[in-house]
Amino acid sequence: MRDARYDILFDPVKIGPVTAKNRFYQVPHCNGGGYRDASAVTEMRRVKAEGGWGVIFTEQADVHPSSDITPYIELRNWSDADIPALAKMADAIHEYGALAGIELVHAGVNSPNLYTKEVPLAPSPLPILTFTSDPVQARAMDKDDIRQLRLWHRAAFRRARAAGYDLICLYAAHGFGIIQHFLSPRTNQRSDEYGGSLENRSRLMREIISDARDEIGDRCGVTIRLALDEMAGPSGFTNAELRDLVAMHADLPDLWDFAHGNWENCSGTSRFKPEAAQEDLITGLKKLTPKPVVGVGRFTSPDLMVRQVKQGILDFVGAARPSIADPFLPRKIEEGRLDDIRECIGCNICITGDFTQSLSRCTQNSSFMEEWRKGWHPERMKPRSSEKKVLIVGAGPAGLSAAHRAGLRGYEVALAEAGTELGGRVSRESKLPGLSAWARVRDYRQGQIAKMANVTVYRDSRLSAADILEFGFEHIGLATGATWRRDGVARYHLLPIPIDNAMPVFTPDDIMAGRLPAGHVVVYDDDHYYLAGVMAELLVRNGNRVTFLTPADKVSDWSTMTLDQPFIQARVLELGIDVHVARALSRIGASSVSEVCTYTGRECEIACDAVLLVTARLPDDELYRDLKAAEDSWLDHGIDSVRVFGDAQAPAAIAWATYAGHRYAAELEEPPPEDGVPFKRVLAVMET
Ligand code: ADP
Ligand code: SF4
């Protein structure tokens, strides 16, 4: 039963003509599926509704073909042809009593229109402002264009209502919506009644909201998602201007939804943004309006949610990532099952799906976006197919996930771990600067397994192939991890580089085991994700002088996908680290290294005392190879299957390991797909 101190989170709250059953408000979020994988998106939202959210929004739905943000894949609300798919999503959300919301947008100066080939529109003639700096500018809208834009919105409102939505949200945050482009003095340089004063810059917002009320306000709540601060200094749309705007329009929308002005700041990783990071910017806004307020902050702590509501900061607890990591967050609070909450770790792997146009992954919730195509569920597993027993070797994220999920299926599971601590790489990495939240990957699974009578954990148990053959279990899952390489091999060098044995060479495994270099260290990053930057920070804090070398053009280049690359590069520079980009390590000498410019091939020497190589990893798959070599004797030992997965199969980020563990358990004793495709997919329909 729920603890009475959380009762307030379950109050119904009115939003214009509709009422949300509680204060859990899943704000719009991308998922890499959008219009292309509408079935996957629909099922994902249905599972969130089952998990108890009071309000569930779709991702952004563009209102017109001149708002096309290709290559990013969101939803479209361009014409009546879009209504059936949008209606299925609304129906799925309604199935468990949640309010269905749709986020509508014209992306303005954020839409390069690469697919539709329409000429982009914006308040003023500026280059398209996207992540990819496409070579195209927007034309300035004249009054006719503004009239058209309003008509397009009106038509989109009608379609949203026809599709069954209870709420519409006008997207004017993160730099992605035309209302924000009109509000900001940076993107709105007009001299007519739509530019200049705040009164003028907010005219379009007033007009579109009034149009929405007029079209659908009798049945649907009209909400707006506004930038808390554009984060562009005094020349941008500031938090002070936002406060003036809300005060001027206190009664205008049915709800105010506040998010940060740019996405990088709004959805910061846990390394750079703590839970409730936007509290200062949002505090006091509620006093300016009688209408309900929603805000976000990667909230996973119910006590923090209660505090923000009780202190009058928020009416609704907005969440995107916490709802991805745990679609059942509200139900778990309602049922007094706080221990079962699967907390978001703030890694932003989910966001990379948007950047890579692939169905998103979540490190904590492997079923995210697999609800439809694989039939996975965040809380349930298909019951076991037999009474055979499962031995999982290695308790890193892959092994822990496999043991937990096989346990949920009802199998008798033994989990053997060589060390005394569970968690593998997440335990080690969580002790590094800024990565403490990584431990949640371990803590959730360890906590769940501890409650399962059918899962037994053996610590301090390094198993050999002979041990496993004698163990007496039918299914063997090997999740023995990987080791960082010490020979320079990664992406730039596919073969080992010359290394003089006199130079102390370290790998991340050494650093995490507490073996630290002395003096001036060259950190070589050919991994391009977060670890080299974190290690460089640790070394500076350890008193080392650090030179950072990477063949990429940026520090931690892949972290652009997780939105924190700019913060990582700033951190490295602020720490006084000497950064050499577009430089590969070509040789490690006795007292210096050679670096080579990746463009010109020009070489130069850097004198140093030690080198830290953050390069590729080698799978620790010796156990698997030993067992494979003994395959002839499996039958005699009663072994049906031996599988290797996670980093021991192919090293990758943590999300890949948790996914691999989930997949191992889900596919155990299941027949392989008849056509060889391991999931359902949407096939294109040919039109003539
Ligand atoms: P992954 O990311 O694939 O889960 P990790 O490196 O995080 O991989 O975890 C692998 C775990 O497997 C480590 O905790 C390691 O101690 C454990 N391990 C490796 N070899 C054995 C073994 N032979 N017996 C038991 N545990 C092992
Ligand atoms: Fe949170 Fe990471 Fe999952 Fe995204 S991928 S929801 S940031 S745990």
Side-chain angles (χ1 to χ4, degrees):
M1 283 306 293
R2 124 177 141 219
D3 188 323
R5 73 196 143 129
Y6 305 129
D7 284 353
I8 196 168
L9 300 175
F10 294 88
D11 290 345
V13 183
K14 243 173 103 55
I15 310 173
V18 294
T19 302
K21 66 177 178 179
N22 60 35
R23 297 181 190 268
F24 292 93
Y25 194 105
Q26 182 246 274
V27 293
H29 65 76
C30 60
N31 47 66
Y35 63 83
R36 185 196 58 196
D37 286 288
S39 302
V41 178
T42 301
E43 207 50 40
M44 178 267 287
R45 304 276 183 218
R46 191 196 316 275
V47 167
K48 295 215 198 171
E50 187 192 351
W53 296 83
V55 174
I56 296 177
F57 265 91
T58 67
E59 60 271 45
Q60 87 175 59
D62 294 302
V63 299
H64 188 259
S66 61
S67 172
D68 159 32
I69 62 164
T70 301
Y72 308 103
I73 301 176
E74 312 290 329
L75 292 176
R76 289 171 179 162
N77 179 354
W78 289 351
S79 75
D80 288 357
D82 295 305
I83 294 177
L86 296 177
K88 282 199 171 159
M89 284 177 208
D91 291 348
I93 293 168
H94 285 149
E95 215 169 283
Y96 295 89
L99 292 180
I102 182 167
E103 182 180 48
L104 299 175
V105 69
H106 189 290
V109 79
N110 188 241
S111 44
N113 298 345
L114 299 174
Y115 167 73
T116 63
K117 304 184 184 173
E118 293 293 318
V119 175
L121 298 165
S124 301
L126 285 171
I128 289 301
L129 302 174
T130 60
F131 294 101
T132 43
S133 302
D134 306 287
V136 52
Q137 293 205 185
R139 73 176 171 81
M141 297 167 73
D142 62 20
K143 300 278 179 54
D144 282 341
D145 294 321
I146 292 176
R147 270 190 288 280
Q148 278 301 324
L149 181 76
R150 290 178 58 184
L151 292 175
W152 296 336
H153 275 88
R154 276 184 177 265
F157 299 147
R158 290 194 295 271
R159 288 191 293 270
R161 183 169 68 174
Y165 287 89
D166 311 291
L167 297 166
I168 62 112
C169 168
L170 294 160
Y171 191 20
H174 302 147
F176 296 156
I178 202 159
I179 293 176
Q180 185 182 0
H181 306 151
F182 269 82
L183 285 173
S184 167
R186 290 165 74 233
T187 41
N188 180 349
Q189 299 160 15
R190 301 173 73 95
S191 52
D192 63 2
E193 67 266 37
Y194 287 92
S197 65
L198 181 61
E199 164 83 19
N200 282 357
R201 282 181 278 124
S202 52
R203 187 175 309 280
L204 181 72
M205 176 189 87
R206 280 194 299 282
E207 290 176 346
I208 293 181
I209 292 180
S210 322
D211 293 343
R213 284 200 179 290
D214 187 40
E215 288 288 348
I216 57 168
D218 56 329
R219 245 189 49 201
C220 304
V222 176
T223 81
I224 184 159
R225 186 150 219 229
L226 278 172
L228 279 165
D229 191 317
E230 203 186 348
M231 300 302 285
S235 65
F237 182 70
T238 60
N239 191 249
E241 271 214 309
L242 171 73
R243 285 166 197 267
D244 292 343
L245 180 95
V246 175
M248 278 162 68
H249 303 93
D251 284 307
L252 186 66
D254 293 318
L255 171 144
W256 299 93
D257 175 350
F258 297 114
H260 225 313
N262 64 18
W263 197 17
E264 294 84 342
N265 274 293
C266 197
S267 298
T269 54
S270 54
R271 185 170 169 207
F272 296 99
K273 302 272 175 191
E275 192 171 348
Q278 298 175 30
E279 185 165 332
D280 285 353
L281 291 171
I282 204 164
T283 298
L285 281 163
K286 211 181 115 49
K287 293 199 177 66
L288 304 175
T289 171
K291 299 302 173 86
V293 163
V294 57
V296 288
R298 218 176 55 250
F299 297 115
T300 55
S301 150
D303 291 299
L304 184 57
M305 298 173 194
V306 166
R307 177 176 70 71
Q308 290 227 347
V309 173
K310 285 202 167 153
Q311 287 181 350
I313 299 170
L314 300 177
D315 295 289
F316 283 100
V317 180
R321 289 171 292 171
S323 76
I324 293 172
D326 196 342
F328 277 58
L329 179 67
R331 256 180 68 177
K332 288 175 182 175
I333 297 172
E334 186 162 28
E335 292 167 6
R337 295 165 48 213
L338 302 196
D339 287 356
D340 293 336
I341 295 174
R342 193 168 43 240
E343 289 185 287
C344 167
I345 70 166
C347 62
N348 283 1
I349 280 292
C350 48
I351 286 169
T352 68
D354 195 39
F355 280 96
T356 55
Q357 299 89 50
S358 50
L359 289 194
S360 288
R361 296 170 183 267
C362 168
T363 302
Q364 280 286 60
N365 173 16
S366 304
S367 68
F368 181 55
M369 295 308 284
E370 301 291 358
E371 300 89 346
W372 176 75
R373 70 172 191 172
K374 289 199 165 175
W376 290 3
H377 190 277
E379 302 299 311
R380 294 190 292 272
M381 297 291 286
K382 188 179 170 187
R384 64 180 171 173
S385 303
S386 77
E387 298 201 344
K388 292 181 176 168
K389 298 188 282 304
V390 184
L391 169 64
I392 305 291
V393 184
L400 281 169
S401 287
H404 171 218
R405 292 285 156 178
L408 274 180
R409 289 193 64 183
Y411 284 101
E412 184 180 335
V413 180
L415 173 63
E417 164 55 46
T420 48
E421 189 181 23
L422 307 188
R425 63 176 293 190
V426 292
S427 289
R428 293 192 292 276
E429 290 185 26
S430 66
K431 294 175 187 112
L432 298 171
L435 301 186
S436 59
W438 273 209
R440 293 174 171 185
V441 174
R442 173 200 62 208
D443 295 344
Y444 166 70
R445 290 167 180 81
Q446 194 174 322
Q448 295 298 299
I449 287 170
K451 295 184 195 177
M452 292 176 159
N454 55 329
V455 181
T456 312
V457 177
Y458 298 93
R459 293 162 196 257
D460 231 345
S461 305
R462 179 173 291 281
L463 300 190
S464 64
D467 296 332
I468 291 169
L469 289 173
E470 295 307 322
F471 206 86
F473 277 26
E474 290 88 348
H475 295 293
I476 313 297
L478 303 173
T480 44
T483 303
W484 289 90
R485 295 183 72 130
R486 205 179 282 277
D487 56 6
V489 170
R491 294 184 166 87
Y492 191 85
H493 295 294
L494 300 181
L495 295 171
I497 60 171
I499 299 180
D500 190 315
N501 285 337
M503 173 68 80
V505 173
F506 293 78
T507 72
D509 291 319
D510 295 316
I511 306 297
M512 290 188 281
R515 291 188 292 275
L516 296 177
H520 176 198
V521 185
V522 167
V523 175
Y524 178 56
D525 179 18
D526 197 13
D527 169 54
H528 310 288
Y529 196 17
Y530 57 87
L531 203 62
V534 170
M535 296 255 148
E537 180 174 344
L538 180 145
L539 292 177
V540 170
R541 299 199 191 290
N542 181 51
N544 297 101
R545 180 181 153 205
V546 175
T547 300
F548 191 99
L549 245 62
T550 176
D553 292 332
K554 290 175 185 168
V555 173
S556 298
D557 202 9
W558 198 75
S559 301
T560 305
M561 312 263 183
T562 50
L563 297 177
D564 58 353
Q565 190 284 328
F567 301 104
I568 295 174
Q569 187 133 358
R571 172 72 54 87
V572 162
L573 292 170
E574 276 160 7
L575 286 168
I577 293 171
D578 194 10
V579 174
H580 299 202
V581 294
R583 296 285 189 277
L585 197 60
S586 54
R587 188 186 60 85
I588 298 179
S591 57
S592 67
V593 299
S594 304
E595 64 165 26
V596 58
C597 170
T598 58
Y599 293 105
T600 64
R602 211 170 41 231
E603 278 201 282
C604 66
E605 291 286 298
I606 306 171
C608 61
D609 304 304
V611 176
L612 168 60
L613 295 174
V614 187
T615 51
R617 283 179 286 161
L618 282 171
D620 291 333
D621 58 0
E622 201 185 333
L623 198 50
Y624 179 63
R625 285 186 277 114
D626 288 350
L627 282 167
K628 269 304 249 190
E631 196 163 352
D632 289 351
S633 68
W634 289 1
L635 213 57
D636 296 342
H637 291 94
I639 291 177
D640 281 12
S641 76
V642 177
R643 294 267 309 277
V644 59
F645 54 90
D647 289 335
Q649 186 182 36
I654 300 162
W656 275 248
T658 48
Y659 186 92
H662 189 121
R663 183 176 184 177
Y664 170 79
E667 293 180 356
L668 198 61
E669 299 192 296
E670 292 298 308
E674 273 173 28
D675 65 356
V677 180
F679 44 74
K680 287 195 284 186
R681 63 195 168 126
V682 182
L683 292 169
V685 177
M686 302 295 285
E687 303 275 356
T688 49

